[in-house]
Structure formats: C-alpha cells, structure tokens
Amino acid sequence: MSTTAGRAAGSPSAAVFVPPHARDDQVRMRHAHATAARMFKVAPTGPDVWGWQGRTLGRQAGQWWLRLVCAPQDKRSLRLWEGTATAHHALPPTVPRPRLHDVPEWSAHGHAYRAELSEYVPLPAL
C-alpha cells in the first residue's frame, strides 16, 4: 500500500492538498479566510478544504464557495493566482461552471491574498 504520509514536503510524491506544515501558517490562512468572509458578508460552514500545498483554503458559505489564495507578496504564481478569473472570462457563458461573483485582493505582513467568491455547486467535478 502506498501513502504520502511521512514523505518529505516538496518531494514529487508528497501530498499537495494539505494544510500548510507550520501551525502559524494554518492560523494565518484561517484568519485571512475569515477576513474575506467579513468582506463578502458571508458565513462559512463545513470543513476547511485545503488546496495546492496549503496555499489555498476554501469553504462553503451558504450559496457561495469562498476560496482564499495566498502567496508571498513578491512570488505570486499567475496560474494559481488568476486561474479562476481567467477561466471565468475565457470560457463562453454556455459552458456550465460556477459563476465567479467577486475577487478582492489585499496584502498584509509580507503576504498577498486573493479571495474568490463563486457560486457553490454541490455536484462532483466532471
């Protein structure tokens, strides 16, 4: 049986959809997600859904999905940073997908944050 538990972070087979390794980073991300929720006036519910190497954090918020992206201020990856908005604008409206509602950005303590509020779709991805 193969498992990613215990493998070195950054190795090709290490788990990528996990919380940040450092507890302080987890707390910082949850705090920033809560800040985004207040901006949008939504109340997140349910479990944390961590994304790429702990750099994204998403949660359902009623009829919405609130996703937070974070990177060091000087090291934003455009694919991770702007991928949702790029796809939203690139695909024709006839392509079914969650609609992007709003995307604020801010910086604090050397980190850049981007919050994405999209429609929540309770169906599995295709």
Side-chain angles (χ1 to χ4, degrees):
M1 177 166 77
S2 175
T3 179
T4 57
R7 293 196 182 140
S11 72
S13 47
V16 293
F17 300 110
V18 295
H21 179 69
R23 178 96 173 120
D24 289 348
D25 288 335
Q26 292 178 33
V27 169
R28 179 182 49 76
M29 287 288 288
R30 287 184 177 113
H31 177 75
H33 193 277
T35 297
R38 286 190 299 275
M39 285 180 187
F40 291 125
K41 297 181 177 148
V42 297
T45 58
D48 293 342
V49 178
W50 292 97
W52 180 252
Q53 297 181 344
R55 295 179 193 162
T56 69
L57 174 58
R59 290 180 72 196
Q60 184 180 352
Q63 68 183 21
W64 305 104
W65 182 257
L66 177 55
R67 176 179 182 254
L68 177 76
V69 182
C70 176
Q73 238 171 320
D74 60 342
K75 294 185 180 181
R76 290 186 266 168
S77 162
L78 289 182
R79 186 175 357 155
L80 180 65
W81 197 256
E82 297 178 1
T84 301
T86 299
H88 175 77
H89 294 297
L91 296 172
T94 55
V95 175
R97 65 184 182 283
R99 300 295 181 220
L100 185 62
H101 177 67
D102 198 4
V103 184
E105 294 183 13
W106 72 96
S107 295
H109 310 290
H111 290 89
Y113 298 95
R114 178 182 178 102
E116 300 168 342
L117 190 66
S118 301
E119 292 174 324
Y120 176 72
V121 178
L123 302 171
L126 298 175

